[in-house]
Amino acid sequence: MTSPSYRYRALLIANARFPEADPQELPELHGPPRDVTAVAEVLTDANVGLFDAADVMRLEDQPHWEINKQVQRFFSASAPDDVLLMYFSGHGRLDALGKLYLCTQNTQPDLLWATGIAFDSIDSLITTSPAKRVVIVLDCCHSGTFRGGGGESMTGRGHYLITSTREVQLAADEDGQGQPSPFTRQFVAAIREPGAPGPLSVPELYRRISAGFEQRGGPAPTAPVLRRG
């Protein structure tokens, strides 16, 4: 049951089309639309979810300025007892310094600073957000870079990051079977997996995701990083 003092809010971002980029550099993806649908459904499922539909916002194939605006609103307009989940599915790219950028509908790989979403900017918003409980889930290439690339680290109490890849790995897209991407499929399955009563903790969620990948013989995602202020 949801604690009466908590409000669960989610921002789900997916980008599958990149018309301003060379398709060889940013090819169109099949998974993101299915990914956000699957995540939204499980978060609002009356049996396993903790989120009201009105508190789950979806952004699909939007330009970087619209996503930046909504991300800032999401984190700044929160309350201390909010539980925030930000999920991203799409391409991730690194700049020359190894900084992670999330790609948007108008991203151009040679203009990442101007047309992408710098993840260290998102981290700054997380750090200054009134919300004490934040979970970030990244299903994109190079998503594990944030743990080490560029000297970045996650710090702060109650803040978690789960990524679909290690630092130099590429994330797998949907395999043509009409399903979400492999990581998101396992993420959703982990939430639906029967377990102890009460809200699912992030470490337990990660344990379930990792166990699912081990059973399939695929690579496990990076471990969630607990922020310790």
mmCIF file with all atom_site columns, all heavy atoms in Angstrom, residues 46-57:
data_model
loop_
_atom_site.group_PDB
_atom_site.id
_atom_site.type_symbol
_atom_site.label_atom_id
_atom_site.label_alt_id
_atom_site.label_comp_id
_atom_site.label_asym_id
_atom_site.label_entity_id
_atom_site.label_seq_id
_atom_site.pdbx_PDB_ins_code
_atom_site.Cartn_x
_atom_site.Cartn_y
_atom_site.Cartn_z
_atom_site.occupancy
_atom_site.B_iso_or_equiv
_atom_site.pdbx_formal_charge
_atom_site.auth_seq_id
_atom_site.auth_comp_id
_atom_site.auth_asym_id
_atom_site.auth_atom_id
_atom_site.pdbx_PDB_model_num
ATOM 1  N N   . ALA A 1 46 ? -2.879 -1.553 -10.639 1.00 0.00 ? 46 ALA A N   1
ATOM 2  C CA  . ALA A 1 46 ? -3.479 -1.535 -9.300  1.00 0.00 ? 46 ALA A CA  1
ATOM 3  C C   . ALA A 1 46 ? -2.921 -2.611 -8.391  1.00 0.00 ? 46 ALA A C   1
ATOM 4  O O   . ALA A 1 46 ? -2.960 -2.474 -7.159  1.00 0.00 ? 46 ALA A O   1
ATOM 5  C CB  . ALA A 1 46 ? -5.003 -1.697 -9.417  1.00 0.00 ? 46 ALA A CB  1
ATOM 6  N N   . ASN A 1 47 ? -2.361 -3.672 -8.946  1.00 0.00 ? 47 ASN A N   1
ATOM 7  C CA  . ASN A 1 47 ? -1.851 -4.779 -8.137  1.00 0.00 ? 47 ASN A CA  1
ATOM 8  C C   . ASN A 1 47 ? -0.401 -4.592 -7.701  1.00 0.00 ? 47 ASN A C   1
ATOM 9  O O   . ASN A 1 47 ? -0.016 -5.036 -6.620  1.00 0.00 ? 47 ASN A O   1
ATOM 10 C CB  . ASN A 1 47 ? -1.985 -6.098 -8.902  1.00 0.00 ? 47 ASN A CB  1
ATOM 11 C CG  . ASN A 1 47 ? -3.430 -6.466 -9.165  1.00 0.00 ? 47 ASN A CG  1
ATOM 12 O OD1 . ASN A 1 47 ? -4.269 -6.371 -8.274  1.00 0.00 ? 47 ASN A OD1 1
ATOM 13 N ND2 . ASN A 1 47 ? -3.733 -6.873 -10.392 1.00 0.00 ? 47 ASN A ND2 1
ATOM 14 N N   . VAL A 1 48 ? 0.420  -3.965 -8.541  1.00 0.00 ? 48 VAL A N   1
ATOM 15 C CA  . VAL A 1 48 ? 1.847  -3.872 -8.223  1.00 0.00 ? 48 VAL A CA  1
ATOM 16 C C   . VAL A 1 48 ? 2.383  -2.444 -8.253  1.00 0.00 ? 48 VAL A C   1
ATOM 17 O O   . VAL A 1 48 ? 3.479  -2.182 -7.757  1.00 0.00 ? 48 VAL A O   1
ATOM 18 C CB  . VAL A 1 48 ? 2.687  -4.744 -9.184  1.00 0.00 ? 48 VAL A CB  1
ATOM 19 C CG1 . VAL A 1 48 ? 2.349  -6.211 -9.013  1.00 0.00 ? 48 VAL A CG1 1
ATOM 20 C CG2 . VAL A 1 48 ? 2.501  -4.306 -10.642 1.00 0.00 ? 48 VAL A CG2 1
ATOM 21 N N   . GLY A 1 49 ? 1.654  -1.512 -8.863  1.00 0.00 ? 49 GLY A N   1
ATOM 22 C CA  . GLY A 1 49 ? 2.157  -0.153 -9.008  1.00 0.00 ? 49 GLY A CA  1
ATOM 23 C C   . GLY A 1 49 ? 1.831  0.730  -7.818  1.00 0.00 ? 49 GLY A C   1
ATOM 24 O O   . GLY A 1 49 ? 0.946  0.429  -7.014  1.00 0.00 ? 49 GLY A O   1
ATOM 25 N N   . LEU A 1 50 ? 2.559  1.841  -7.722  1.00 0.00 ? 50 LEU A N   1
ATOM 26 C CA  . LEU A 1 50 ? 2.352  2.796  -6.636  1.00 0.00 ? 50 LEU A CA  1
ATOM 27 C C   . LEU A 1 50 ? 1.976  4.178  -7.158  1.00 0.00 ? 50 LEU A C   1
ATOM 28 O O   . LEU A 1 50 ? 1.849  5.118  -6.379  1.00 0.00 ? 50 LEU A O   1
ATOM 29 C CB  . LEU A 1 50 ? 3.625  2.907  -5.794  1.00 0.00 ? 50 LEU A CB  1
ATOM 30 C CG  . LEU A 1 50 ? 4.037  1.661  -5.002  1.00 0.00 ? 50 LEU A CG  1
ATOM 31 C CD1 . LEU A 1 50 ? 5.435  1.849  -4.430  1.00 0.00 ? 50 LEU A CD1 1
ATOM 32 C CD2 . LEU A 1 50 ? 3.050  1.393  -3.888  1.00 0.00 ? 50 LEU A CD2 1
ATOM 33 N N   . PHE A 1 51 ? 1.805  4.292  -8.468  1.00 0.00 ? 51 PHE A N   1
ATOM 34 C CA  . PHE A 1 51 ? 1.612  5.595  -9.089  1.00 0.00 ? 51 PHE A CA  1
ATOM 35 C C   . PHE A 1 51 ? 0.179  5.760  -9.585  1.00 0.00 ? 51 PHE A C   1
ATOM 36 O O   . PHE A 1 51 ? -0.397 4.850  -10.178 1.00 0.00 ? 51 PHE A O   1
ATOM 37 C CB  . PHE A 1 51 ? 2.565  5.766  -10.281 1.00 0.00 ? 51 PHE A CB  1
ATOM 38 C CG  . PHE A 1 51 ? 4.021  5.805  -9.917  1.00 0.00 ? 51 PHE A CG  1
ATOM 39 C CD1 . PHE A 1 51 ? 4.686  4.642  -9.526  1.00 0.00 ? 51 PHE A CD1 1
ATOM 40 C CD2 . PHE A 1 51 ? 4.735  6.991  -9.977  1.00 0.00 ? 51 PHE A CD2 1
ATOM 41 C CE1 . PHE A 1 51 ? 6.035  4.678  -9.201  1.00 0.00 ? 51 PHE A CE1 1
ATOM 42 C CE2 . PHE A 1 51 ? 6.077  7.029  -9.659  1.00 0.00 ? 51 PHE A CE2 1
ATOM 43 C CZ  . PHE A 1 51 ? 6.731  5.872  -9.265  1.00 0.00 ? 51 PHE A CZ  1
ATOM 44 N N   . ASP A 1 52 ? -0.375 6.956  -9.375  1.00 0.00 ? 52 ASP A N   1
ATOM 45 C CA  . ASP A 1 52 ? -1.636 7.319  -10.003 1.00 0.00 ? 52 ASP A CA  1
ATOM 46 C C   . ASP A 1 52 ? -1.352 7.746  -11.446 1.00 0.00 ? 52 ASP A C   1
ATOM 47 O O   . ASP A 1 52 ? -0.315 8.368  -11.724 1.00 0.00 ? 52 ASP A O   1
ATOM 48 C CB  . ASP A 1 52 ? -2.311 8.462  -9.263  1.00 0.00 ? 52 ASP A CB  1
ATOM 49 C CG  . ASP A 1 52 ? -2.807 8.045  -7.887  1.00 0.00 ? 52 ASP A CG  1
ATOM 50 O OD1 . ASP A 1 52 ? -3.142 6.857  -7.720  1.00 0.00 ? 52 ASP A OD1 1
ATOM 51 O OD2 . ASP A 1 52 ? -2.835 8.911  -6.986  1.00 0.00 ? 52 ASP A OD2 1
ATOM 52 N N   . ALA A 1 53 ? -2.271 7.448  -12.351 1.00 0.00 ? 53 ALA A N   1
ATOM 53 C CA  . ALA A 1 53 ? -2.065 7.786  -13.755 1.00 0.00 ? 53 ALA A CA  1
ATOM 54 C C   . ALA A 1 53 ? -1.826 9.286  -13.945 1.00 0.00 ? 53 ALA A C   1
ATOM 55 O O   . ALA A 1 53 ? -1.040 9.700  -14.802 1.00 0.00 ? 53 ALA A O   1
ATOM 56 C CB  . ALA A 1 53 ? -3.267 7.330  -14.577 1.00 0.00 ? 53 ALA A CB  1
ATOM 57 N N   . ALA A 1 54 ? -2.462 10.114 -13.135 1.00 0.00 ? 54 ALA A N   1
ATOM 58 C CA  . ALA A 1 54 ? -2.305 11.561 -13.253 1.00 0.00 ? 54 ALA A CA  1
ATOM 59 C C   . ALA A 1 54 ? -0.906 12.027 -12.881 1.00 0.00 ? 54 ALA A C   1
ATOM 60 O O   . ALA A 1 54 ? -0.511 13.145 -13.234 1.00 0.00 ? 54 ALA A O   1
ATOM 61 C CB  . ALA A 1 54 ? -3.335 12.276 -12.377 1.00 0.00 ? 54 ALA A CB  1
ATOM 62 N N   . ASP A 1 55 ? -0.156 11.185 -12.184 1.00 0.00 ? 55 ASP A N   1
ATOM 63 C CA  . ASP A 1 55 ? 1.197  11.546 -11.750 1.00 0.00 ? 55 ASP A CA  1
ATOM 64 C C   . ASP A 1 55 ? 2.279  10.897 -12.601 1.00 0.00 ? 55 ASP A C   1
ATOM 65 O O   . ASP A 1 55 ? 3.457  10.883 -12.209 1.00 0.00 ? 55 ASP A O   1
ATOM 66 C CB  . ASP A 1 55 ? 1.395  11.158 -10.279 1.00 0.00 ? 55 ASP A CB  1
ATOM 67 C CG  . ASP A 1 55 ? 0.587  12.038 -9.346  1.00 0.00 ? 55 ASP A CG  1
ATOM 68 O OD1 . ASP A 1 55 ? 0.442  13.236 -9.651  1.00 0.00 ? 55 ASP A OD1 1
ATOM 69 O OD2 . ASP A 1 55 ? 0.096  11.530 -8.322  1.00 0.00 ? 55 ASP A OD2 1
ATOM 70 N N   . VAL A 1 56 ? 1.904  10.351 -13.750 1.00 0.00 ? 56 VAL A N   1
ATOM 71 C CA  . VAL A 1 56 ? 2.865  9.752  -14.680 1.00 0.00 ? 56 VAL A CA  1
ATOM 72 C C   . VAL A 1 56 ? 2.817  10.546 -15.983 1.00 0.00 ? 56 VAL A C   1
ATOM 73 O O   . VAL A 1 56 ? 1.814  10.556 -16.692 1.00 0.00 ? 56 VAL A O   1
ATOM 74 C CB  . VAL A 1 56 ? 2.543  8.267  -14.946 1.00 0.00 ? 56 VAL A CB  1
ATOM 75 C CG1 . VAL A 1 56 ? 3.505  7.695  -15.993 1.00 0.00 ? 56 VAL A CG1 1
ATOM 76 C CG2 . VAL A 1 56 ? 2.635  7.466  -13.655 1.00 0.00 ? 56 VAL A CG2 1
ATOM 77 N N   . MET A 1 57 ? 3.914  11.227 -16.295 1.00 0.00 ? 57 MET A N   1
ATOM 78 C CA  . MET A 1 57 ? 3.997  12.049 -17.503 1.00 0.00 ? 57 MET A CA  1
ATOM 79 C C   . MET A 1 57 ? 4.883  11.366 -18.530 1.00 0.00 ? 57 MET A C   1
ATOM 80 O O   . MET A 1 57 ? 5.976  10.892 -18.199 1.00 0.00 ? 57 MET A O   1
ATOM 81 C CB  . MET A 1 57 ? 4.563  13.436 -17.167 1.00 0.00 ? 57 MET A CB  1
ATOM 82 C CG  . MET A 1 57 ? 4.661  14.358 -18.359 1.00 0.00 ? 57 MET A CG  1
ATOM 83 S SD  . MET A 1 57 ? 5.282  16.009 -17.888 1.00 0.00 ? 57 MET A SD  1
ATOM 84 C CE  . MET A 1 57 ? 5.092  16.872 -19.458 1.00 0.00 ? 57 MET A CE  1
#
